[in-house]
Amino acid sequence: TKQKFKKESLEQEIDFNNIINSSFHSKQLYDELKVKCHPDRFPNDEEKNIIADNLFQEITENQNNVKRLQELKEEAIQKLNINF
């Protein structure tokens, strides 16, 4: 199993730029997104509340991945009409 894991690990492409950027910039972006996209901000609109809930879960799962957080920020701008 160690050999299999090693082989699979070496075959994967690693985005070192994202790793470095995530270590310095993900916390700030995560904090901004978790506040702006929280489902409690959309209590009167059921559809936006569901979208915000799904986005919020994705944001929480990817709190240390700045590349994915930037994608989620764009998604929030489009789907929830949030201004950053």
Side-chain angles (χ1 to χ4, degrees):
T1 55
K2 286 184 182 181
Q3 292 296 330
K4 181 182 176 187
F5 177 74
K6 182 178 178 181
K7 183 181 180 204
E8 289 175 0
S9 297
L10 292 173
E11 290 175 354
Q12 293 178 355
E13 187 174 321
I14 299 172
D15 186 358
F16 287 107
N17 195 26
N18 184 42
I19 293 170
I20 293 169
N21 283 334
S22 294
S23 64
F24 292 105
H25 303 292
S26 64
K27 175 92 170 100
Q28 180 182 5
L29 184 55
Y30 169 71
D31 288 343
E32 181 180 24
L33 286 172
K34 74 178 182 185
V35 170
K36 296 258 186 177
C37 298
H38 198 280
D40 289 348
R41 292 183 55 123
F42 306 97
N44 300 328
D45 190 341
E46 185 68 29
E47 183 179 335
K48 282 189 177 182
N49 188 288
I50 292 169
I51 293 169
D53 186 45
N54 292 334
L55 275 173
F56 189 75
Q57 289 176 12
E58 280 275 327
I59 290 165
T60 304
E61 290 173 10
N62 293 287
Q63 61 184 308
N64 294 317
N65 184 348
V66 76
K67 190 174 186 178
R68 182 67 181 133
L69 288 175
Q70 289 170 340
E71 293 170 0
L72 291 169
K73 181 178 180 178
E74 289 301 317
E75 193 173 329
I77 290 170
Q78 293 172 359
K79 292 183 178 179
L80 298 174
N81 298 323
I82 296 175
N83 296 324
F84 286 90

